Amino acid sequence: MTGLTLLSTELAASDDKLSGLPSLVLGGLTATAQTLQFETPFNNLINAGSLAITLEKTTLDEVKATFGGNIRSRTVEGMTVGWLCYELATGDLPRRIWFVANDRSDAATPAQKPVTFISTEEVANEADKCDTPTVALAPLLLPVPTLKDGTEALEERFGAAPKQGMVRYTHQQQGEQNTTVMQMLVYRLKGGHIDGIAFTQITSK
């Protein structure tokens, strides 16, 4: 789990900083959330309208080339974290979408790192330093329950879910060449309604 966690105090020390649900998850502040295992890994191909994003393959540069925005970064304990954040105010579901690269790849710049973490959450106010996409960024088509779903959808997919608070679902499997693939989903629920989701895939030796 160390590859999925960053010190929130370090993140908060930067002018360019993660906020919202990504800050909670990557800052380790969901460590006390109920954690459940799931048997079948999710398909890590995410449809974002004009771009199909594959975790650990699609780079921040590729996301920026499609949707615009500014790539921001922060180095914590020798690991550089890069991200793009978009504010979507269309329709009846104002939301924020984050694409984060926080692996330990040998990429020369954060922009060349692959996306390993995506988060979307409902918002009631504007975020500092989040961008407006230059082309339509459609609601993410996820292979798991997401915003507008609720406790019942999570129970059907994973077997159990709370109506309030945070819950984590994890899956670990052997990958190629003696690697381990960890997938983690974090949900935030309010009154049985999902108002935030973050999902991660990290491959480690």
Side-chain angles (χ1 to χ4, degrees):
M1 292 296 291
T2 56
L4 304 180
T5 304
L6 297 170
L7 293 177
S8 58
T9 53
E10 292 287 344
L11 288 173
S14 171
D15 289 337
D16 283 336
K17 60 185 178 182
L18 290 164
S19 62
L21 189 57
S23 178
L24 295 177
V25 175
L26 296 178
L29 300 181
T30 63
T32 58
Q34 180 183 13
T35 301
L36 303 167
Q37 306 294 318
F38 60 96
E39 297 296 327
T40 304
F42 62 79
N43 183 350
N44 71 340
L45 179 66
I46 295 96
N47 188 329
S50 54
L51 179 66
I53 298 169
T54 302
L55 296 182
E56 297 194 282
K57 291 185 178 180
T58 304
T59 65
L60 287 176
D61 257 345
E62 291 174 300
V63 177
K64 178 180 177 178
T66 301
F67 301 116
N70 298 295
I71 295 173
R72 297 176 176 87
S73 64
R74 173 70 168 147
T75 299
V76 180
E77 296 187 341
M79 183 174 72
T80 299
V81 181
W83 66 88
L84 285 158
C85 177
Y86 299 103
E87 198 85 14
L88 305 179
T90 58
D92 60 351
L93 187 65
R95 60 200 182 280
R96 194 170 296 149
I97 298 177
W98 304 77
F99 300 93
V100 182
N102 70 315
D103 74 335
R104 296 186 180 274
S105 71
D106 296 326
T109 67
Q112 296 170 323
K113 285 177 174 282
V115 174
T116 53
F117 174 102
I118 296 178
S119 178
T120 182
E121 60 184 323
E122 296 180 19
V123 293
N125 61 312
E126 293 184 358
D128 293 336
K129 299 186 178 179
C130 275
D131 300 303
T132 300
T134 54
V135 299
L137 204 171
L140 299 181
L141 298 180
L142 308 179
V144 292
T146 185
L147 303 183
K148 289 193 171 181
D149 292 325
T151 300
E152 294 77 10
L154 289 175
E155 289 176 339
E156 183 176 348
R157 175 64 171 83
F158 300 114
K163 290 187 178 296
Q164 192 76 17
M166 309 283 286
V167 62
R168 297 191 302 177
Y169 300 97
T170 64
H171 177 84
Q172 182 173 305
Q173 65 180 357
Q174 290 300 116
E176 299 178 353
Q177 300 178 341
N178 296 318
T179 59
T180 299
V181 180
M182 169 70 78
Q183 293 185 338
M184 183 174 72
L185 295 156
V186 175
Y187 286 93
R188 184 177 61 202
L189 294 102
K190 294 182 179 180
H193 168 80
I194 296 169
D195 83 331
I197 172 176
F199 44 107
T200 303
Q201 178 170 304
I202 292 286
T203 298
S204 60
K205 294 184 179 180

